[in-house]
Amino acid sequence: MRVRTRVTSAVTAVGALLALSGCGAADMTKQASPYANAAGAKTVTLSVQSWVGAQADVAVAEYLLKNELGYRVDKVQIDEVPAWDALSQGRVDAIMEDWGHPEQEQRYVKDKKTIVPGGDVGVTGHIGWYVPTYFAKKHPDVTDWKNLNKYADQFRTSESGDKGQLMDGSPSYVTNDKALVQNLDLDYEVVFAGSEAAQITQIEQFAKKQKPFLTYWYKPQWLFEKVPMTEVKLPEYKEGCDADPAKIKCAYPHTPLQKYFNADFAKNGGEAAAFLKNFKWSEADQNEVSLMIADKKMSPDDAAKAWIAKNPAKWKSWLPK
Amino acid sequence: MATATASSPVRDTGIGALLRHRAVGKLLLLAVAAAVVVPILNAKWASGAWPDALTVDLTEPLGKTTDWIIDNRDSHWLFTYFFGHISNAIVLSVRGVYLVLLAAGWAGVTAAAGLIAWRVAGVKLAVMAAASFAVCGLLGMWVPTMQTLALMIVAVLASVILGLLLGLAGGLNDRIFRILRPVLDTMQVLPAYAYLLPFALVFGMGVPAAIIATVVYAAPPMARLTALGLRGADGGVMEAVSSLGATARQRLFSARLPLALKQLMLGVNQTIMMALSMAVIASVIGAGGLGDRVYQALSTVDVGQALAGGIPIVLLAVVLDRVTGAAGERMGAHVEDNSPLRGWRGWSVAAAVTVVAALAARFADRVDWPTGWVVNIAPSVNTAKDWMVDHLYTDVPVVGGTADWAAHFTTWVLNPVRDGLQGLPWWSVLLIVAALAWLIGTWQTALTAVAAMAAIGVLGVWSKSLDTLSQVLAGVAVTVVLGFAIGIAASRSTRLERLLRPVLDVFQTMPQFVYLIPVVALFGIGRAPAVAAAVVYALPAVVRITTQGLRQVDAAAMESSRSLGATSWQQLRQVQLPLARPALLLALNQGVVLVLAVVVIGGLVGGGALGYDVVFGIAQGDLATGLVAGAAIVCLGLMLDRVTQPTERRAKKGA
């Protein structure tokens, strides 16, 4: 019994301490990273998504924030949906490239008003099914979904069994592929690579041996420069045709990619917020930086530096006046 | 290392005949029960996969819970007055430690590491500690290393305190001890991935959730070893202390705790190792530090850069392991220290030197690690990886390439096992589990195993779980064959064992994320690389336990068999292996648990099944998918543990 009373008193003491230290309510919307603003530096925390395009955005923004505006930049890699949550809580200040999350937009931007839109990145994203161009040249009719069943046995792997393999990537990506295969009556098995890194590695392996493959992939993407791929036409996308995920029978839309900021940061973020709001570049620009990072294995910082040295006119217009 | 503290009650093998007799009886009894129950079940729900009528769909309630948390997090008292304070306290403490580390600068931190190691573990480890920190700087990882260190210091302190409290309660009170055991078991089998998301929702993304997840994972060994140490206190000593009229509190502080000191230090050591292995996993919810560097490098398929982030983690782990291990041994040994620098004098010298080093760097304006002192290892590592892939992937003469092996392994091993398991009627799976668990344990363990398996069916992930199970079985088979072979070889050659030790250290502490890409590069995507990753992770523990078990076989038995003219092979087969059976069984059990632990990681390279669901849950913020898959992994773990862990009727005492 003595143990128990001691435990209770310990719990009470901890509780009292917590109450004293907080002096009331804790604000869950203001939870900056413990590493932020350390050692007297002004910091901005950016969320980095796992694909290289987003890393290119962040790399260039980081370089300019550091060298032109005197900020320290912390980068945090989180998956897309949790990143919205982190943005809402102020744990990160900005997401530089969002591929469209209507549910999160409704919740955080419209209802809770903890996140505000930050404008276009200047890049339009598109998801689709792709085959390697070396294969499409030999079999031109593979680029129409209606002929895919004819080629199913060429796309077979040990993982897909007796069906063709449609390779999907990271679980965080938007995908209707399972439903599409079902609804379009395709003789394919969706095999999830589980991460973009695994998917890229596998595509490069296939390409090295000039093997046929069918994969979920997206534009803009640096890998196209290394492994040219041709899109397979799916039934045309029309507004609202993807409303019911179970009945979906159409291609993916073209999405102008967006930036999002924490509401507090947008208001009180000073020069950094103004700069990030102005940040806008083209697909070609982004691909140039992405390729340097992912293929030439330059550090994001060096890649950003190289691009910045070449394009002063573009980035100078982003700097706050 | 993750579960090296699991208990290993051992069955006496001397009563083989009686046992075989008992085994037949158990099987007969089970057969009779099956003959009665199976036709009824069959008539009601039919055979095949788990019947839909017996499942519970948790999608809606869990989805509603997520929404409720997000909608009320900023306003409900539960968050603003309770969880919010916890996460603020965590953020403040991590920030405090981080600022101190930054203020000390690289010179101060390196000096402090070396001097602390010198005080508690001697000169040799001091040099190693200082050198390790210097390497972290050389790799260009100084700031992330400090972030991880700050995270680790707070997480380990919290785990040790929590573990001590739980362990004290369990060590002094039998009832609490009995309740605590299954709780600790579950905390350790639970895949950290599965509870990252709920913690992130409640406590906030990043550091707070990461620390709490780490504490859940790392506190159990401390609690277990504390309880064990307290319960193991020598009865005679306790008697003597009581007879001197000591109060309960005095008995605890003057006798029990000091006697358990060695166990406590071992607990601290285990806690540190487990906390470090969480450092990388926690990066998927944005905890920053070294784990984040590894994770970011992987998304550009940059193995070299990932390795640069992984090496500091390995170094931190090895240094902390050796230093706390040596400290534990010293405390147990009570060496007489007559040097002029003993006690507080040594510590004040250490403190003074640290301050001088920190100030010197500050005046030289070199607080941050100098950028000129960074060595970039990434290009050469990537070249090596590319060479490997170019030359081993496929079309290697005679042996075939790694991709061909993977394809064959999938077609000839994984597919048949999976299809076989999924083709079995659901009740027969339960029966097999019951039979295996009962043969090796008691009826209670059999009941737990069957209940765990049934829970998987009720959760509605029956066929996915059997898919995962098939991967685990294949992985365990490969691990055990390789592990026993290497272990036997190492037990017969001291030189080989010495050579293996650093290799095993590296594989045990290197974050699994680092070898994901090489694994895909070699084996493509799918279940085969997932199994390969699991084997790499589980092999070191199996090799270690096997080697140790064989080494500990009674020398007299070996000698007498040799004098009877047994060849080396006969000796191994007829003396060493049978005598080392308990150790081999423990190795098997550890193999199973560790292979299962990599299942989630396998989801990242195309392993699919439960691992993919868990990853999906985090990526999409989908509590229902992630938590259900996580619960199913726990159930699989419980079942496999019970089926492979021989238990006698549990004695009243023990861990």
Side-chain angles (χ1 to χ4, degrees), chain B residues 418-491:
Chain B
R418 180 189 63 187
D419 297 346
L421 282 174
Q422 287 177 340
L424 286 174
W426 61 278
W427 43 261
S428 73
V429 175
L430 296 186
L431 249 142
I432 293 170
V433 167
L436 286 175
W438 203 11
L439 281 181
I440 203 162
T442 61
W443 64 268
Q444 285 115 317
T445 49
L447 203 65
T448 319
V450 173
M453 206 61 214
I456 288 173
V458 171
L459 286 171
V461 283
W462 182 256
S463 65
K464 272 183 194 160
S465 301
L466 291 181
D467 185 353
T468 296
L469 182 61
S470 73
Q471 295 173 37
V472 172
L473 292 180
V476 168
V478 177
T479 310
V480 164
V481 169
L482 283 177
F484 283 2
I486 300 174
I488 289 170
S491 76

Side-chain angles (χ1 to χ4, degrees), chain B residues 526-579:
Chain B
R527 285 166 291 151
V531 170
V535 171
V536 174
Y537 184 62
L539 202 54
V542 174
V543 170
R544 281 217 164 106
I545 300 171
T546 311
T547 314
Q548 238 169 33
L550 289 175
R551 283 260 156 116
Q552 274 160 7
V553 164
D554 191 9
M558 295 288 287
E559 195 50 51
S560 65
S561 70
R562 195 172 305 136
S563 69
L564 288 171
T567 63
S568 183
W569 170 246
Q570 282 171 329
Q571 223 182 1
L572 174 71
R573 213 167 51 99
Q574 288 172 343
V575 183
Q576 253 185 321
L577 286 183
L579 282 178

Side-chain angles (χ1 to χ4, degrees), chain A:
Chain A
M1 286 322 275
R2 257 165 191 275
V3 176
R4 203 164 302 162
T5 48
R6 225 172 284 145
V7 170
T8 351
S9 56
V11 170
T12 336
V14 170
L17 245 175
L18 276 176
L20 274 178
S21 72
C23 287
D27 192 344
M28 295 288 280
T29 60
K30 290 200 178 63
Q31 295 202 314
S33 149
Y35 311 125
N37 300 312
K42 301 182 285 181
T43 48
V44 179
T45 311
L46 299 177
S47 146
V48 194
Q49 263 67 50
S50 62
W51 60 91
V52 189
Q55 294 188 348
D57 301 334
V58 171
V60 170
E62 178 188 5
Y63 191 91
L64 292 171
L65 279 169
K66 262 202 310 216
N67 297 312
E68 296 292 325
L69 300 173
Y71 281 84
R72 238 192 79 132
V73 177
D74 270 333
K75 294 176 291 184
V76 189
Q77 179 162 330
I78 328 176
D79 280 317
E80 292 167 75
V81 177
W84 276 82
D85 201 40
L87 189 62
S88 155
Q89 287 183 300
R91 201 160 291 271
V92 296
D93 295 321
I95 294 180
M96 293 302 291
E97 183 172 311
D98 185 78
W99 281 63
H101 289 89
E103 221 178 282
Q104 321 298 330
E105 245 173 273
Q106 177 68 36
R107 169 177 279 152
Y108 295 110
V109 178
K110 297 196 180 115
D111 298 347
K112 293 170 76 108
K113 300 196 169 44
T114 48
I115 294 179
V116 293
D120 287 346
V121 191
V123 175
T124 298
H126 175 59
I127 297 168
W129 290 2
Y130 291 87
V131 290
T133 305
Y134 54 75
F135 187 73
K137 274 194 185 134
K138 261 187 275 171
H139 309 275
D141 62 337
V142 75
T143 57
D144 191 327
W145 68 272
K146 288 181 193 129
N147 302 322
L148 277 178
N149 278 346
K150 213 165 86 186
Y151 292 97
D153 58 338
Q154 298 208 44
F155 295 129
R156 215 152 55 182
T157 66
S158 59
E159 213 35 67
S160 66
D162 49 4
K163 293 179 175 172
Q165 169 172 294
L166 166 58
M167 181 161 58
D168 261 50
S170 157
S172 68
Y173 296 171
V174 177
T175 171
N176 310 321
D177 285 2
K178 275 200 160 164
L180 279 171
V181 165
Q182 174 98 37
N183 297 338
L184 297 175
D185 239 346
L186 295 174
D187 195 15
Y188 281 80
E189 176 84 23
V190 183
V191 173
F192 287 89
S195 57
E196 184 173 304
Q199 196 182 6
I200 291 178
T201 311
Q202 178 74 79
I203 289 178
E204 287 185 331
Q205 293 287 30
F206 280 140
K208 214 172 261 166
K209 303 288 168 201
Q210 299 278 302
K211 278 195 187 153
F213 63 87
L214 175 67
T215 183
Y216 166 105
W217 204 233
Y218 61 91
K219 270 180 174 164
Q221 231 292 350
W222 60 275
L223 190 66
F224 285 107
E225 308 277 334
K226 256 192 106 184
V227 182
M229 287 184 264
T230 308
E231 190 171 358
V232 174
K233 268 191 218 81
L234 288 168
E236 204 187 330
Y237 175 84
K238 285 192 193 81
E239 189 72 35
C241 72
D242 51 1
D244 183 356
K247 288 192 197 136
I248 221 158
K249 250 184 159 177
C250 61
Y252 294 88
H254 289 263
T255 324
L257 306 182
Q258 299 297 309
K259 295 171 287 182
Y260 285 97
F261 301 148
N262 173 280
D264 258 355
F265 171 75
K267 214 160 71 189
N268 309 319
E271 289 194 315
F275 163 77
L276 290 176
K277 196 152 204 161
N278 293 339
F279 182 103
K280 189 171 177 181
W281 60 352
S282 74
E283 229 171 278
D285 289 327
Q286 194 193 50
N287 270 343
E288 196 183 326
V289 179
S290 300
L291 197 69
M292 284 191 269
I293 297 175
D295 189 38
K296 302 207 178 110
K297 302 278 186 245
M298 283 166 78
S299 75
D301 204 50
D302 290 341
K305 197 173 161 188
W307 183 87
I308 283 162
K310 256 174 45 192
N311 299 286
K314 287 183 185 157
W315 59 263
K316 284 222 164 102
S317 67
W318 304 338
L319 297 179
K321 306 270 137 51

Side-chain angles (χ1 to χ4, degrees), chain B residues 277-291:
Chain B
S277 72
M278 271 296 284
V280 177
I281 295 183
S283 67
V284 301
I285 52 165
L290 290 169

Side-chain angles (χ1 to χ4, degrees), chain A residues 28 31 85 89 91, chain B residues 65-66 68-70 73-74 78-80 82-87 195-205 208-209 212 623:
Chain A
M28 295 288 280
Q31 295 202 314
D85 201 40
Q89 287 183 300
R91 201 160 291 271
Chain B
T65 313
T66 315
W68 185 87
I69 293 175
I70 292 177
R73 194 172 42 205
D74 309 335
L78 192 61
F79 293 96
T80 52
F82 185 62
F83 294 136
H85 286 303
I86 294 180
S87 32
Y195 52 78
L196 278 183
L197 180 63
F199 282 155
L201 279 175
V202 171
F203 294 101
M205 276 291 154
I212 291 178
L623 207 55

Side-chain angles (χ1 to χ4, degrees), chain B residues 288-313:
Chain B
L290 290 169
D292 191 62
R293 292 304 169 97
V294 175
Y295 190 47
Q296 285 189 20
L298 282 188
S299 56
T300 45
V301 206
D302 190 343
V303 186
Q305 202 54 37
L307 200 64
I311 290 173
I313 297 179

Side-chain angles (χ1 to χ4, degrees), chain B residues 115-126 322-327 330:
Chain B
L115 291 164
I116 293 173
W118 166 60
R119 286 313 299 152
V120 302
V123 176
K124 227 168 103 188
L125 281 171
R322 299 284 146 82
V323 171
T324 49
R330 285 203 169 186

